[in-house]
Amino acid sequence: MDNFWKNKKITAYIALKHHSRFIVPIMEKLAGMGAKSHYLVAQAERSQEITAIETGLDYSHIFEFLKKSDNDEINRIYLDLRDTFASTLVKDIAFTLQVQTVLDKTLFTTAQEYVAFRNYFETDRPDLCIALHEVNRWGKIFAFHAKRSGVPFITLQEGLLTAASANLNFQMTGHVQYSTLCFVWGENSRKKLVSFEAPEQRVIPVGNTHLSDEI
């Protein structure tokens, strides 16, 4: 067991600065036990590379794994997303609050990211993947392709899980859709996620990963 992590490749997706607060202590601990740690960033209005650069992380941008031969597939996925959202816009006011030019750019970027994350697992297969959660598009796509590739995927609790009313359940569902395990702060957090459809056996209370550093 002492050599279990030696040369294991651990990849973490990181975006905003608070992601590094939770994830970097885990990655540093694993690296101290011999693992090879690496980080991925993706595309966003606020560059995710800023976090990686300011934190001094060894990272790749997910677009580095795109090929020119992917363009036709990306366009097909983009058109499917655009058609789906076009029909949704006339029924759901929530999506109409987004500026349509920004939404269109986001849909095309999502198509690129879907293919890029898939290519990442095909070309640079890790032994374990970590993300803060899978309730944004990047974590969700990353977790989806990890599961398809048979790679264990761990997510964490981002903050206090206070939403409890039925009309806020969209904020609570989907936390453990593709993740192998979701590590949460305590038993109350575990119960909250389980009450919103998270598989009980995959939600594990472990405490807060950055609290000891804060103290």
Side-chain angles (χ1 to χ4, degrees), residues 78-136:
Y78 159 68
L79 292 175
D80 285 343
L81 289 170
R82 191 188 65 178
D83 291 345
T84 300
F85 270 81
S87 62
T88 303
L89 287 174
V90 299
K91 298 184 293 184
D92 193 331
I93 191 173
F95 288 111
T96 65
L97 300 176
Q98 176 65 272
V99 178
Q100 299 311 301
T101 53
V102 175
L103 178 58
D104 185 67
K105 182 172 66 173
T106 300
L107 293 178
F108 186 77
T109 302
T110 301
Q112 290 177 296
E113 290 165 342
Y114 177 86
V115 174
F117 274 110
R118 183 199 64 201
N119 289 353
Y120 170 74
F121 282 99
E122 292 176 353
T123 62
D124 202 9
R125 186 181 175 96
D127 295 295
L128 173 69
C129 293
I130 301 172
L132 185 54
H133 55 71
E134 56 166 305
V135 289
N136 56 39

Side-chain angles (χ1 to χ4, degrees), residues 26 132 153-158 161 175-176 179-195 198-209:
I26 299 173
L132 185 54
F153 192 92
I154 291 174
T155 51
L156 309 170
Q157 179 178 340
E158 180 174 14
L161 301 178
H175 272 267
V176 199
S179 303
T180 309
L181 294 172
C182 177
F183 293 153
V184 296
W185 296 356
E187 183 63 19
N188 286 340
S189 298
R190 187 192 69 81
K191 290 179 179 178
K192 181 65 68 65
L193 286 183
V194 169
S195 72
E200 185 172 4
Q201 69 277 14
R202 287 195 269 154
V203 184
I204 312 296
V206 299
N208 190 316
T209 56

Side-chain angles (χ1 to χ4, degrees), residues 161-177:
L161 301 178
T162 56
S165 60
N167 63 328
L168 290 177
N169 62 6
F170 69 92
Q171 296 177 353
M172 304 294 290
T173 56
H175 272 267
V176 199
Q177 185 175 4

Side-chain angles (χ1 to χ4, degrees), residues 56-74:
L57 303 177
D58 175 31
Y59 76 95
S60 300
H61 195 292
I62 195 62
F63 281 2
E64 295 175 32
F65 299 93
L66 288 176
K67 308 182 296 291
K68 188 173 292 187
S69 58
D70 293 322
N71 287 344
D72 287 345
E73 182 182 13
I74 289 169

